Amino acid sequence: MSDQPAKIPIQAVKGTKDILPAEARDWQAVEAAVKAVFELYGYREIRTPIFEATELFEKGTGETSDIVVKEMYTFVDKGGRSITLRPEYTPSVARAVIEHRLYLEPRPLKFYFIGPMFRYDKPQKGRYRQFHQIDVEVFNEPDPGCDAEIVEMADTLLSSLNVTGTETLVNSVGCPKCRPAYHDELKAHASRLERRLCPDCQRKAQTNPLRIFDCKVESCRALTRDFPNIADYLCEECRDHFARFRAYLDLYGIKYRIEPRLVRGIDYYTKTAFEIIAGHEGAQNAILGGGRYDNLMKDFGGPDICGIGFAMGVERLLSVVNPARPKEKFLYLAWMGEEAKRAAMELARFFRAHGIECLVEFRERGLKNQMGRANKLEASWTVIIGEDEIRKAKYQLKDMSTGEQREADRDEIAAVIKGA
Ligand code: AMP
């Protein structure tokens, strides 16, 4: 063995990133907006574990989906179980609803969640291996009004975050009654092209031909341009659902475009599919995607109740959003001598109990040095504490934006700062 200690990698693992304090403020603003908006629509937060049994995603997300075929973080734990870091949220929520029989509760089954997801994907701009999703799920509501309300809620969230220039795409992916005929038609078209489709599309043509439309390879896109549209294959029920969904979107004044090639990459979708994309072109422009999954719960061995939801990528959202962030206000306590340091620490405790952010240095510095620090840190106020101030229990409060200085006791200081 070498005497050299092993080198510790000082770099986050490929495809992951740190959210540093300056950026974390934006995340907090997004999280606060999510909570404020979604709870108005009767959604409640649900939190499930980061990992689940692998079969949950194999069965839920679907054995032919790209996520399951290529992207799962799967490992065997010390007990010999196959575990997967969740690549998406819907199967976890469906599992929790069944396990805890939440469907028996009188509350509407409307859930939201924010947290990390894991996909072993090729990292690139806007695409990470650990990324975060805002997720929404509704169970047991078959009415297309619910589909429209979900899209309207996403739109309201984006508006509340001042996201503009987005486009809403909608489609219907049919159901197990009408989709097989469309699958057969696509398979026939794909086989006529023989080997001109990329190997991935050739595989999809056999396993799940709808997925061919997800392909980003330009030649495949060109070759499949005149493949038939699913709209011409929908059964009466799916066609009616899609028409009513669109009518409710019109009612809400939501502008949308019907995108016949919008099929979503996951096996369980039925009927409604939608995406909201950022205005600019590019492969990573989907901010959110979702749809209806009427058979997932039944397929999981749960009750025969339908579901619908969407997932929004937080990193993608933050790339198009600029949350209004008020300037942080805080009080810098300057002191001279051990006694004043103790007084500063006590005062900080008092002010913080009044909800005022405070910063106290622990190392002795000259007064000039401390005022320089307060300036550099962009403190809103400073309080200067010396022997005289301690004796009188009155302190010099300086407003750093105006330079005004006044003498005040701690209650007056708290009142001035709180009133600002
Ligand atoms: P999906 O579950 O694939 O429909 O993804 C839903 C949303 O999550 C997308 O619209 C993106 O905003 C985001 N997303 C998906 N995969 C990634 C990734 N690898 N990195 C960052 N964001 C992602």
Side-chain angles (χ1 to χ4, degrees):
M1 253 172 72
S2 140
D3 291 343
Q4 291 286 326
K7 223 172 165 193
I8 298 171
I10 305 294
Q11 200 163 44
V13 173
K14 188 173 175 182
T16 69
K17 76 187 194 87
D18 300 307
I19 299 158
L20 301 176
E23 212 189 332
R25 287 283 189 203
D26 292 342
W27 283 70
Q28 288 168 351
V30 165
E31 285 157 10
V34 164
K35 183 169 161 39
V37 173
F38 292 178
E39 299 222 347
L40 281 181
Y41 288 76
Y43 287 75
R44 292 293 179 263
E45 189 178 10
I46 184 166
R47 301 185 192 191
T48 65
I50 266 173
F51 53 81
E52 300 269 359
T54 299
E55 300 88 295
L56 185 81
F57 300 112
E58 283 173 350
K59 189 136 193 254
T61 309
E63 256 137 355
T64 65
S65 68
D66 279 354
I67 292 178
V68 171
V69 174
K70 301 189 233 167
E71 298 171 2
M72 294 216 295
Y73 271 93
T74 298
F75 60 95
V76 176
D77 74 4
K78 289 186 179 15
R81 304 169 196 91
S82 181
I83 297 291
T84 294
L85 302 183
R86 61 180 177 217
E88 56 136 356
Y89 206 54
T90 307
S92 300
V93 189
R95 191 235 350 110
V97 168
I98 297 170
E99 182 174 341
H100 305 286
R101 296 172 175 246
L102 296 182
Y103 51 85
L104 297 177
E105 290 184 5
R107 262 208 74 76
L109 295 169
K110 293 170 127 184
F111 306 108
Y112 73 93
F113 164 82
I114 309 177
M117 303 291 150
F118 306 86
R119 291 186 196 171
Y120 196 84
D121 207 342
K122 205 167 161 217
Q124 50 188 283
K125 195 172 181 309
R127 184 178 293 230
Y128 305 96
R129 288 183 174 167
Q130 176 177 326
F131 61 100
H132 297 74
Q133 282 186 341
I134 295 161
D135 189 90
V136 160
E137 312 286 347
V138 183
F139 294 92
N140 210 12
E141 185 45 83
D143 194 89
C146 175
D147 308 24
E149 192 190 72
I150 279 200
V151 174
E152 189 259 334
M153 182 172 83
D155 185 76
T156 301
L157 175 69
L158 294 177
S159 303
S160 81
L161 290 165
N162 301 319
V163 179
T164 52
T166 57
E167 193 177 13
T168 302
L169 311 179
V170 301
N171 194 21
S172 173
V173 294
C175 68
K177 269 187 284 168
C178 52
R179 202 158 43 205
Y182 183 59
H183 272 183
D184 289 346
E185 201 54 40
L186 289 181
K187 268 186 196 164
H189 273 74
S191 69
R192 259 176 249 138
L193 293 173
E194 293 179 330
R195 307 226 153 257
R196 285 159 68 205
L197 291 170
C198 74
D200 222 19
C201 281
Q202 287 180 35
R203 175 181 61 82
K204 287 173 181 171
Q206 296 312 313
T207 55
N208 193 342
L210 213 59
R211 202 65 59 54
I212 290 176
F213 295 130
D214 275 340
C215 186
K216 302 277 184 273
V217 177
E218 202 38 61
S219 55
C220 291
R221 286 181 167 246
L223 284 168
T224 56
R225 206 153 282 150
D226 357 291
F227 276 25
N229 281 344
I230 191 158
D232 300 324
Y233 292 78
L234 295 179
C235 61
E236 183 76 32
E237 189 188 321
C238 288
R239 212 174 321 129
D240 175 64
H241 189 96
F242 192 37
R244 290 201 292 146
F245 164 54
R246 286 171 358 234
Y248 288 129
L249 286 180
D250 293 337
L251 172 79
Y252 283 132
I254 303 281
K255 294 205 169 48
Y256 58 85
R257 175 160 66 80
I258 298 175
E259 174 47 72
R261 297 299 191 249
L262 174 67
V263 291
R264 312 279 306 125
I266 296 172
D267 281 354
Y268 48 66
Y269 285 114
T270 49
K271 295 182 178 154
T272 310
F274 56 91
E275 268 186 11
I276 298 185
I277 59 173
H280 59 86
E281 278 302 312
Q284 312 312 328
N285 62 353
I287 301 177
L288 74 88
R292 190 165 264 288
Y293 46 90
D294 286 350
N295 304 311
L296 183 71
M297 295 294 265
K298 193 173 55 179
D299 291 350
F300 272 13
D304 187 5
I305 57 174
C306 59
I308 177 166
F310 70 71
M312 183 181 302
V314 182
E315 286 83 357
R316 302 252 177 103
L317 176 63
L318 282 166
S319 70
V320 292
V321 73
N322 211 344
R325 207 194 305 147
K327 188 177 164 343
E328 288 158 28
K329 292 192 167 181
F330 73 94
L331 169 65
Y332 183 95
L333 293 115
W335 53 268
M336 280 140 310
E338 180 61 23
E339 203 192 342
K341 174 183 179 181
R342 292 170 62 85
M345 289 168 73
E346 278 184 318
L347 275 174
R349 185 165 157 84
F350 171 82
F351 291 133
R352 286 175 185 138
H354 283 75
I356 296 166
E357 182 179 336
C358 295
L359 202 139
V360 186
E361 307 278 1
F362 294 105
R363 243 182 330 138
E364 177 108 55
R365 293 166 186 268
L367 184 60
K368 212 169 142 204
N369 184 312
Q370 290 187 71
M371 294 314 278
R373 291 256 310 148
N375 248 326
K376 207 160 155 191
L377 294 167
E378 297 184 7
S380 318
W381 303 271
T382 51
V383 157
I384 300 165
I385 308 158
E387 277 172 28
D388 267 6
E389 284 79 8
I390 297 172
R391 198 168 28 80
K392 288 191 287 184
K394 291 207 169 193
Y395 313 90
Q396 289 299 323
L397 171 69
K398 183 171 178 183
D399 183 325
M400 299 296 279
S401 58
T402 60
E404 261 172 56
Q405 205 158 315
R406 58 188 280 187
E407 197 180 64
D409 67 21
R410 61 180 202 173
D411 291 311
E412 286 164 338
I413 293 174
V416 168
I417 293 179
K418 294 293 281 181

